[in-house]
Amino acid sequence: MEELSPEDQLRLNVLLSQDVKAVRIDEPSGTLHALTAEGEASMPLHPNCRADKYFRVLREQLSGHALGSPGGYPVYLSRWTRHGQMESANLGGLLQIGEPEAVVAVVHSPALTDELAGHAWWAMPTIENARLMLMRDAVARGRMGPVLSDFLVEHMAFLQEDHLAIMDTVAVLLHAGTLGAAAREAIWKRGKRQNSHY
Protein backbone atom coordinates (compact mmCIF):
# COMPACT_ATOMS: atom_id res chain seq x y z
CA MET A 1 0.00 0.00 0.00
CA GLU A 2 1.43 3.37 -1.05
CA GLU A 3 1.80 6.03 1.61
CA LEU A 4 3.17 9.55 1.75
CA SER A 5 6.72 9.95 2.96
CA PRO A 6 6.81 10.49 6.75
CA GLU A 7 8.00 14.09 6.30
CA ASP A 8 5.15 14.93 3.89
CA GLN A 9 2.58 13.15 6.07
CA LEU A 10 3.62 15.21 9.10
CA ARG A 11 3.51 18.51 7.17
CA LEU A 12 0.18 17.61 5.59
CA ASN A 13 -1.33 16.83 9.01
CA VAL A 14 -0.18 20.23 10.28
CA LEU A 15 -1.56 21.95 7.19
CA LEU A 16 -4.93 20.20 7.41
CA SER A 17 -5.33 21.23 11.04
CA GLN A 18 -5.72 24.79 9.72
CA ASP A 19 -8.72 26.34 7.97
CA VAL A 20 -7.81 25.36 4.39
CA LYS A 21 -9.88 27.06 1.68
CA ALA A 22 -8.27 25.63 -1.47
CA VAL A 23 -5.35 23.44 -2.57
CA ARG A 24 -3.31 23.53 -5.76
CA ILE A 25 -0.72 20.85 -6.59
CA ASP A 26 2.14 21.87 -8.88
CA GLU A 27 3.25 18.46 -10.12
CA PRO A 28 6.25 19.59 -12.23
CA SER A 29 7.84 21.39 -9.26
CA GLY A 30 6.57 18.85 -6.70
CA THR A 31 4.91 21.47 -4.49
CA LEU A 32 1.56 21.63 -2.72
CA HIS A 33 0.14 25.15 -2.35
CA ALA A 34 -2.70 25.90 0.04
CA LEU A 35 -4.91 28.93 0.57
CA THR A 36 -5.77 29.16 4.26
CA ALA A 37 -7.62 31.65 6.42
CA GLU A 38 -4.17 32.98 7.39
CA GLY A 39 -2.92 33.37 3.80
CA GLU A 40 -0.95 31.18 1.41
CA ALA A 41 1.24 28.25 2.42
CA SER A 42 3.38 25.93 0.34
CA MET A 43 4.93 22.56 1.03
CA PRO A 44 7.65 20.84 -1.03
CA LEU A 45 6.81 17.19 -1.64
CA HIS A 46 9.19 14.23 -1.32
CA PRO A 47 7.80 11.33 -3.38
CA ASN A 48 8.93 7.89 -2.25
CA CYS A 49 7.46 6.09 -5.30
CA ARG A 50 6.52 6.95 -8.89
CA ALA A 51 5.33 10.58 -9.04
CA ASP A 52 1.91 9.81 -10.58
CA LYS A 53 1.17 7.26 -7.83
CA TYR A 54 2.39 9.67 -5.16
CA PHE A 55 0.14 12.49 -6.35
CA ARG A 56 -2.82 10.07 -6.46
CA VAL A 57 -2.18 9.03 -2.83
CA LEU A 58 -1.86 12.70 -1.85
CA ARG A 59 -5.17 13.60 -3.54
CA GLU A 60 -6.86 10.62 -1.88
CA GLN A 61 -5.73 11.88 1.54
CA LEU A 62 -6.90 15.41 0.75
CA SER A 63 -10.24 14.05 -0.46
CA GLY A 64 -10.66 11.89 2.63
CA HIS A 65 -10.10 14.95 4.81
CA ALA A 66 -12.24 17.43 2.84
CA LEU A 67 -15.07 15.22 1.58
CA GLY A 68 -14.91 12.11 3.75
CA SER A 69 -14.31 10.20 0.50
CA PRO A 70 -10.93 8.45 0.58
CA GLY A 71 -11.13 7.39 -3.07
CA GLY A 72 -10.43 10.89 -4.34
CA TYR A 73 -12.64 13.03 -6.55
CA PRO A 74 -14.64 10.79 -8.91
CA VAL A 75 -13.51 12.23 -12.24
CA TYR A 76 -16.19 10.17 -14.04
CA LEU A 77 -18.69 12.69 -12.63
CA SER A 78 -17.10 15.45 -14.69
CA ARG A 79 -19.80 15.24 -17.37
CA TRP A 80 -22.60 16.27 -15.06
CA THR A 81 -20.52 18.68 -12.97
CA ARG A 82 -19.76 20.58 -16.16
CA HIS A 83 -23.48 20.93 -16.73
CA GLY A 84 -23.91 22.82 -13.45
CA GLN A 85 -25.47 20.05 -11.39
CA MET A 86 -23.33 20.57 -8.27
CA GLU A 87 -25.84 22.54 -6.19
CA SER A 88 -25.99 20.38 -3.10
CA ALA A 89 -22.42 19.07 -3.03
CA ASN A 90 -19.81 20.41 -0.66
CA LEU A 91 -18.39 22.97 -3.09
CA GLY A 92 -15.83 24.30 -0.62
CA GLY A 93 -14.58 20.77 -0.01
CA LEU A 94 -14.08 20.19 -3.73
CA LEU A 95 -11.57 23.07 -3.80
CA GLN A 96 -9.48 21.39 -1.09
CA ILE A 97 -8.51 18.21 -2.93
CA GLY A 98 -6.01 19.59 -5.44
CA GLU A 99 -7.95 18.19 -8.41
CA PRO A 100 -8.39 20.54 -11.42
CA GLU A 101 -11.60 18.78 -12.51
CA ALA A 102 -13.09 19.45 -9.06
CA VAL A 103 -12.31 23.18 -9.45
CA VAL A 104 -14.12 23.12 -12.80
CA ALA A 105 -17.11 21.50 -11.07
CA VAL A 106 -17.24 24.37 -8.56
CA VAL A 107 -16.92 26.98 -11.32
CA HIS A 108 -19.88 25.43 -13.19
CA SER A 109 -22.12 25.24 -10.12
CA PRO A 110 -25.23 27.48 -9.93
CA ALA A 111 -24.57 27.60 -6.17
CA LEU A 112 -21.24 29.41 -6.68
CA THR A 113 -20.80 32.34 -4.28
CA ASP A 114 -18.46 35.31 -4.52
CA GLU A 115 -16.27 33.89 -1.74
CA LEU A 116 -16.01 30.46 -3.39
CA ALA A 117 -15.26 32.16 -6.70
CA GLY A 118 -12.27 33.84 -5.03
CA HIS A 119 -10.98 30.50 -3.78
CA ALA A 120 -11.59 28.80 -7.15
CA TRP A 121 -9.81 31.67 -8.91
CA TRP A 122 -6.78 31.23 -6.65
CA ALA A 123 -6.79 27.50 -7.42
CA MET A 124 -7.15 27.77 -11.20
CA PRO A 125 -7.02 31.24 -12.83
CA THR A 126 -7.92 30.55 -16.47
CA ILE A 127 -9.81 32.57 -19.09
CA GLU A 128 -12.53 29.90 -19.27
CA ASN A 129 -13.01 29.88 -15.48
CA ALA A 130 -13.12 33.68 -15.34
CA ARG A 131 -15.77 33.77 -18.06
CA LEU A 132 -17.92 31.07 -16.42
CA MET A 133 -17.77 32.62 -12.95
CA LEU A 134 -18.56 36.10 -14.23
CA MET A 135 -21.82 34.71 -15.68
CA ARG A 136 -23.10 34.23 -12.10
CA ASP A 137 -24.81 37.35 -10.74
CA ALA A 138 -23.50 36.71 -7.22
CA VAL A 139 -19.95 36.83 -8.57
CA ALA A 140 -20.45 39.70 -11.02
CA ARG A 141 -21.92 41.88 -8.24
CA GLY A 142 -19.38 40.76 -5.65
CA ARG A 143 -15.73 41.47 -4.91
CA MET A 144 -14.57 39.08 -7.66
CA GLY A 145 -16.58 40.74 -10.46
CA PRO A 146 -14.09 43.54 -11.20
CA VAL A 147 -11.11 41.18 -10.68
CA LEU A 148 -12.39 38.71 -13.28
CA SER A 149 -13.44 41.48 -15.67
CA ASP A 150 -10.02 43.13 -15.54
CA PHE A 151 -8.36 39.76 -16.17
CA LEU A 152 -10.56 39.05 -19.20
CA VAL A 153 -10.02 42.49 -20.72
CA GLU A 154 -6.27 42.15 -20.20
CA HIS A 155 -6.10 38.64 -21.65
CA MET A 156 -8.51 39.03 -24.57
CA ALA A 157 -5.52 39.54 -26.88
CA PHE A 158 -4.46 35.94 -26.16
CA LEU A 159 -7.68 34.68 -27.74
CA GLN A 160 -6.48 36.12 -31.10
CA GLU A 161 -8.20 34.00 -33.77
CA ASP A 162 -10.61 32.13 -31.48
CA HIS A 163 -13.60 34.18 -32.65
CA LEU A 164 -16.20 32.26 -30.66
CA ALA A 165 -14.20 32.71 -27.42
CA ILE A 166 -13.86 36.44 -28.16
CA MET A 167 -17.62 36.78 -28.73
CA ASP A 168 -18.39 34.83 -25.54
CA THR A 169 -15.94 36.94 -23.54
CA VAL A 170 -17.30 40.27 -24.81
CA ALA A 171 -20.89 39.11 -24.17
CA VAL A 172 -20.06 38.04 -20.60
CA LEU A 173 -18.20 41.30 -19.89
CA LEU A 174 -21.10 43.43 -21.14
CA HIS A 175 -23.74 41.32 -19.35
CA ALA A 176 -21.85 41.41 -16.03
CA GLY A 177 -21.91 45.21 -16.03
CA THR A 178 -18.50 45.39 -14.34
CA LEU A 179 -16.60 47.25 -17.06
CA GLY A 180 -15.45 50.81 -16.54
CA ALA A 181 -15.92 53.43 -19.25
CA ALA A 182 -12.32 53.09 -20.50
CA ALA A 183 -12.58 49.31 -20.88
CA ARG A 184 -15.93 49.60 -22.70
CA GLU A 185 -14.42 52.18 -25.04
CA ALA A 186 -11.41 49.91 -25.73
CA ILE A 187 -13.71 47.00 -26.64
CA TRP A 188 -15.80 49.31 -28.85
CA LYS A 189 -12.64 50.43 -30.69
CA ARG A 190 -11.62 46.81 -31.23
CA GLY A 191 -15.12 46.17 -32.55
CA LYS A 192 -14.53 48.70 -35.33
CA ARG A 193 -11.53 46.66 -36.48
CA GLN A 194 -12.63 43.08 -35.69
CA ASN A 195 -16.02 41.56 -36.41
CA SER A 196 -15.77 39.06 -33.54
CA HIS A 197 -15.53 41.94 -31.04
CA TYR A 198 -18.37 43.78 -32.74
Side-chain angles (χ1 to χ4, degrees):
M1 183 178 146
E2 294 104 1
E3 292 181 343
L4 297 181
S5 64
E7 182 180 2
D8 288 354
Q9 188 65 65
L10 178 63
R11 287 182 173 179
L12 187 64
N13 290 343
V14 171
L15 177 68
L16 294 179
S17 69
Q18 300 175 49
D19 184 8
V20 175
K21 305 294 184 187
V23 170
R24 185 175 65 217
I25 299 171
D26 183 348
E27 293 187 14
S29 75
T31 310
L32 181 148
H33 301 278
L35 180 65
T36 72
E38 306 298 314
E40 292 187 36
S42 62
M43 176 181 131
L45 299 166
H46 306 88
N48 54 12
C49 61
R50 257 190 18 236
D52 59 329
K53 279 187 178 178
Y54 199 76
F55 292 125
R56 183 177 49 77
V57 171
L58 175 61
R59 285 188 170 101
E60 285 175 359
Q61 285 218 13
L62 290 168
S63 179
H65 175 80
L67 303 174
S69 156
Y73 176 71
V75 176
Y76 65 85
L77 293 178
S78 66
R79 186 179 304 120
W80 60 267
T81 58
R82 285 178 179 263
H83 288 94
Q85 297 172 6
M86 288 298 295
E87 290 182 80
S88 60
N90 178 357
L91 293 179
L94 288 176
L95 295 175
Q96 298 168 28
I97 63 178
E99 177 63 63
E101 192 62 44
V103 177
V104 172
V106 172
V107 165
H108 277 82
S109 173
L112 183 69
T113 64
D114 186 52
E115 183 182 11
L116 282 174
H119 301 160
W121 183 242
W122 176 88
M124 200 172 159
T126 65
I127 289 174
E128 178 71 5
N129 285 349
R131 201 165 41 226
L132 284 164
M133 291 193 286
L134 203 52
M135 290 168 72
R136 303 283 176 211
D137 286 342
V139 177
R141 289 193 311 265
R143 183 185 61 85
M144 287 304 296
V147 172
L148 299 172
S149 291
D150 290 348
F151 175 87
L152 288 173
V153 168
E154 201 175 305
H155 288 78
M156 216 176 319
F158 295 107
L159 299 174
Q160 292 174 354
E161 298 304 310
D162 189 347
H163 300 294
L164 190 58
I166 291 170
M167 288 188 285
D168 287 346
T169 302
V170 171
V172 166
L173 285 168
L174 294 175
H175 172 76
T178 49
L179 289 177
R184 273 199 309 274
E185 181 65 24
I187 290 174
W188 178 246
K189 282 181 180 169
R190 278 189 198 149
K192 291 178 179 176
R193 296 189 310 271
Q194 289 179 289
N195 283 341
S196 51
H197 284 76
Y198 185 73

